[in-house]
Amino acid sequence: MPDSKTERQPSTLSGETFGASKMSLPHEIVFVGMVCTAQLLTQACLAQSIVPLHIIGRSFGITDPSYLSWMPAAYSLTVGTFILPSGRLGDLFGHRKVFIIGYLWLAVWSVIAGVSVFSGQILFDMSRAFQGIGLALLMPNAIAILGRTYAPGRRKDMIFSIFGSTAPSGFVIGAAFSAIFGQLAWWPWAYFTTAIAAACLAILSFLLIPEIPVIQTRIQTCHATLSLVKRLDLLGILTGVSGLILVNFAWNQGPLVGWSTVYTYVLLIVGFVFIAAFFVVEAHAPCPLLPIKALSRETGFVLGCIAVGWSAFGIWLYYIWQYMEVLRRQTPLLSTAYFTPIAISGLCAALTTGKLLSVIRPGWVMLISMTAFTAGTVVIATAPVGRIYWAGIFISCIIMPWGMDMSFPSACIILSNNMSREHQGIAASLVNTAVNYSISIGLGMAGTVESRVNHGGSAVLKGYRGAWYLGIGLGALGMVVAVCFILFGSSTGKGEAADDTSQPAEQELERRTEAV
């Protein structure tokens, strides 16, 4: 491997050094803001189909909840499924390049989603799925850019916490614009606006985010003689993506057509076969998409917490909006106003997490976040429809962001610190895959429960509560996994990447942190 000293370039962020120490404070603020916008836009796009769900459904002549649930589920499906190969693309071709392509892809499919109003739900759902691929290109590469720019330490913890804090704010912003366009104008304008914003962000990212050279790692150097297909691990991508899509499709289609329909459980079985084949392929691939040997016991605990916790969050999120708009008969704008406390609470949670990670073990942070997921769902699941806002929805909206904005940045930091530089894209991909895929799977499971207990749609509240009770169970399972993490995980949360620090750069970052 070339000497890292010869690769340092004062004008760029080097993949071998910590580029934050080479940036002025205003440049760093702009840089972090541009990267964090990817997280904000991811959640804003999720809100675009949840908040005006019934308005969009009526424009297509659809009122069946099973069909409506596909609108947000299709988006989360592809965001969660395509994130892992997106991280590999960034590792091979450059995170900044793939990051910009993600914005352009999102812009194109947002336009198509808007014009689908003249076609039908099938084109709209497909467009939502392809929108998700754009965000899948953005998210892991955004986190990898931050992971390669900052050394493990207080500053990195705070930057990742800021990144996580944009999630609830992004959802609120997306909810507000989609509610305004859907209720007062024409809902496709929400998607056209997203397209304009994504195109502008692609241009700004090209101008403002410095080039990050591709690291000359084992993937680039030792296997340089291999074909691009093998370096991409195309067979792993095909088996992994196929398995995840089939399993997810089966879970979300089951409530719609019934689990007695043959193709539903056949697809589920075939999906699990593909996933098993994926792990076999990865065990023998020269450049595995998922380097199993790089995964630690701690990684397993973290991803387990994320999977069940964010499944509970997805259930809570989808059904609290149905609760407000269907049972309480609130308009999308009023419901958005009710939902705004999550932005403030989320910011407080994220900043608190940045401090806590330098004081207590990561397992305790995960336990707190899983407890928040559980408690927030309990509050809304037990609330009567007519309960005053401040005693039900408000409390739930204050609690839930502490699950979101403690678990996500914590997981990103733990995996980033526990994986080498060459695997930063994979570390980011694993967290985002677990988050977004779990949301979609959770909605499919909740839809199955709802359809079994709502008596054909006549007991709507009972169906919603059945889904929430499932979310409570998932949150409690996350608490159990977090306790196991505390008891059996490592005590430091630092892996081999932590040994790769540059002492002078770290001292410079600490000095500037104190100055700020």
Side-chain angles (χ1 to χ4, degrees):
M1 179 180 293
D3 183 10
S4 62
K5 294 182 179 179
T6 63
E7 294 184 352
R8 298 189 181 215
Q9 302 176 19
S11 62
T12 61
L13 295 178
S14 170
E16 299 294 330
T17 60
F18 300 106
S21 63
K22 299 181 182 297
M23 288 188 284
S24 65
L25 185 58
H27 185 189
E28 186 180 3
I29 292 173
V30 173
F31 165 75
V32 173
M34 289 301 304
V35 176
C36 289
T37 303
Q39 169 78 311
L40 184 147
L41 198 56
T42 300
Q43 299 304 318
C45 289
L46 177 62
Q48 284 183 330
S49 59
I50 291 181
V51 176
L53 181 68
H54 299 282
I55 295 174
I56 297 173
R58 285 194 295 271
S59 71
F60 293 129
I62 296 171
T63 57
D64 189 330
S66 298
Y67 286 96
L68 292 175
S69 66
W70 260 115
M71 296 179 184
Y75 171 80
S76 295
L77 163 63
T78 51
V79 174
T81 299
F82 287 91
I83 277 178
L84 197 57
S86 299
R88 169 54 56 87
L89 291 173
D91 287 335
L92 286 175
F93 303 111
H95 299 297
R96 174 177 175 268
K97 183 182 300 182
V98 178
F99 184 80
I100 294 171
I101 292 173
Y103 274 132
L104 295 175
W105 182 282
L106 175 63
V108 171
W109 285 100
S110 295
V111 171
I112 297 174
V115 299
S116 67
V117 68
F118 301 110
S119 175
Q121 186 199 7
I122 294 179
L123 179 59
F124 178 74
D125 287 346
M126 289 178 59
S127 301
R128 289 289 292 163
F130 279 100
Q131 267 189 308
I133 295 177
L135 276 305
L137 293 171
L138 283 170
M139 286 297 290
N141 291 290
I143 296 176
I145 289 172
L146 295 178
R148 287 183 53 192
T149 303
Y150 291 94
R154 287 186 301 164
R155 197 177 192 86
K156 180 176 181 177
D157 293 347
M158 189 56 65
I159 293 298
F160 272 84
S161 297
I162 293 172
F163 185 87
S165 71
T166 59
S169 301
F171 189 92
V172 170
I173 291 172
F177 277 97
S178 58
I180 290 171
F181 287 128
Q183 186 176 328
L184 303 179
W186 193 38
W187 68 260
W189 271 112
Y191 293 89
F192 298 149
T193 303
T194 300
I196 296 170
C200 293
L201 286 167
I203 297 171
L204 290 174
S205 297
F206 178 79
L207 297 174
L208 299 176
I209 296 180
E211 183 67 55
I212 300 181
V214 177
I215 303 175
Q216 296 300 311
T217 62
R218 178 178 58 82
I219 295 175
Q220 294 289 345
T221 307
C222 299
H223 298 285
T225 59
L226 295 177
S227 65
L228 180 61
V229 170
K230 291 186 177 180
R231 281 188 290 157
L232 280 172
D233 188 17
L234 190 58
L235 183 58
I237 291 176
L238 291 175
T239 54
V241 168
S242 299
L244 291 174
I245 289 177
L246 290 175
V247 169
N248 201 306
F249 179 83
W251 272 114
N252 283 278
Q253 191 72 358
L256 179 61
V257 300
W259 284 100
S260 59
T261 305
V262 175
Y263 77 82
T264 305
Y265 56 81
V266 169
L267 290 178
L268 185 63
I269 295 171
V270 173
F272 281 119
V273 170
F274 270 110
I275 291 175
F278 168 75
F279 284 102
V280 173
V281 169
E282 295 306 283
H284 299 89
C287 299
L289 185 67
L290 180 63
I292 299 175
K293 293 181 180 179
L295 303 181
S296 63
R297 178 174 57 184
E298 188 173 56
T299 301
F301 283 129
V302 170
L303 293 178
C305 288
I306 289 294
V308 294
W310 280 80
S311 291
F313 168 75
I315 295 169
W316 171 85
L317 180 66
Y318 179 79
Y319 283 97
I320 195 172
W321 280 90
Q322 306 314 304
Y323 173 81
M324 289 189 292
E325 294 185 357
V326 176
L327 295 179
R328 293 172 65 97
R329 300 185 182 280
Q330 298 174 190
T331 64
L333 277 175
L334 179 59
S335 299
T336 300
Y338 277 14
F339 214 67
T340 51
I342 71 165
I344 300 173
S345 181
L347 178 61
C348 294
L351 296 178
T352 302
T353 301
K355 296 291 185 182
L356 284 179
L357 285 170
S358 62
V359 178
I360 64 176
R361 291 171 54 184
W364 288 104
V365 178
M366 279 294 175
L367 179 59
I368 296 171
S369 66
M370 295 301 110
T371 303
F373 280 135
T374 307
T377 309
V378 168
V379 170
I380 195 64
T382 56
V385 175
R387 175 171 290 178
I388 187 173
Y389 164 73
W390 302 104
I393 298 173
F394 175 76
I395 295 176
S396 185
C397 288
I398 291 295
I399 295 174
M400 288 301 285
W402 289 82
M404 296 168 56
D405 288 313
M406 295 191 80
S407 62
F408 182 80
S410 300
C412 291
I413 292 167
I414 294 168
L415 265 66
S416 178
N417 292 347
N418 274 273
M419 288 190 174
S420 62
R421 285 300 172 78
E422 66 182 89
H423 291 140
Q424 286 300 300
I426 295 173
S429 299
L430 285 174
V431 176
N432 281 279
T433 295
V435 166
N436 292 282
Y437 193 80
S438 298
I439 290 175
S440 189
I441 286 288
L443 286 176
M445 297 169 63
T448 299
V449 173
E450 179 192 9
S451 64
R452 291 293 183 271
V453 301
N454 67 357
H455 304 304
S458 60
V460 177
L461 178 59
K462 187 175 181 180
Y464 291 175
R465 283 181 172 166
W468 278 325
Y469 292 152
L470 172 64
I472 293 171
L474 291 170
L477 178 59
M479 294 172 65
V480 173
V481 176
V483 170
C484 293
F485 184 16
I486 295 170
L487 297 176
F488 306 113
S490 68
S491 60
T492 63
K494 307 294 182 187
E496 60 176 308
D499 298 329
D500 193 31
T501 60
S502 174
Q503 189 66 26
E506 177 65 12
Q507 291 175 351
E508 171 66 12
L509 291 177
E510 293 297 332
R511 183 188 66 77
R512 292 174 59 206
T513 300
E514 296 298 333
V516 173

